[in-house]
Amino acid sequence: MILQVTVKPNARQRRLERLSDGTWRAYVMSPPHEGRANAELIALLAEHFHCPKSAITIQHGVTGRHKRIHLDVRGDAPKAGRGGSG
C-alpha cells in the first residue's frame, strides 16, 4: 500500500488524520533533525496500521515534509527464524 503523507514536526501532540482527498497528515512531536521526525512518523504509522516498523519505508521525501510511504501489509508472511516444526 502506498500512502501520501504530509508531516508536521514539532507538534503539541502525536496524531494521524486522513484528509478528504485520500492523503494523510501526520503530526509528530519530534523536530525534523537527524531523522527524528521520520523515526516518529514510522512509529506512528506502525501503531495506526498494527504492523511492525520494519514493514514501513519512506520511498520519497526523506528530507521533506511531503512523503510517499510504502506500507507492506502482508500480514500472513512468515516471520524469520520462526519455523513451524518443533
Side-chain angles (χ1 to χ4, degrees):
M1 172 188 317
I2 302 293
L3 304 174
Q4 299 292 330
V5 181
T6 301
V7 179
K8 302 286 186 176
N10 296 315
R12 291 184 183 201
Q13 60 181 340
R14 265 176 81 171
R15 67 179 182 180
L16 184 65
E17 60 185 32
R18 187 166 187 159
L19 304 178
S20 61
D21 62 358
T23 63
W24 295 81
R25 183 172 295 142
Y27 296 88
V28 296
M29 297 171 67
S30 299
H33 182 67
E34 297 179 353
R36 293 180 191 155
N38 286 340
E40 187 176 348
L41 170 65
I42 289 171
L44 180 64
L45 291 169
E47 287 175 21
H48 182 80
F49 289 104
H50 306 289
C51 67
K53 290 188 276 188
S54 61
I56 300 169
T57 55
I58 300 174
Q59 287 187 330
H60 182 74
V62 172
T63 60
R65 292 183 185 219
H66 301 284
K67 303 182 185 300
R68 183 172 53 228
I69 307 288
H70 178 259
L71 180 64
D72 187 3
V73 292
R74 294 177 296 171
D76 57 350
K79 304 237 189 284
R82 306 251 172 143
S85 61

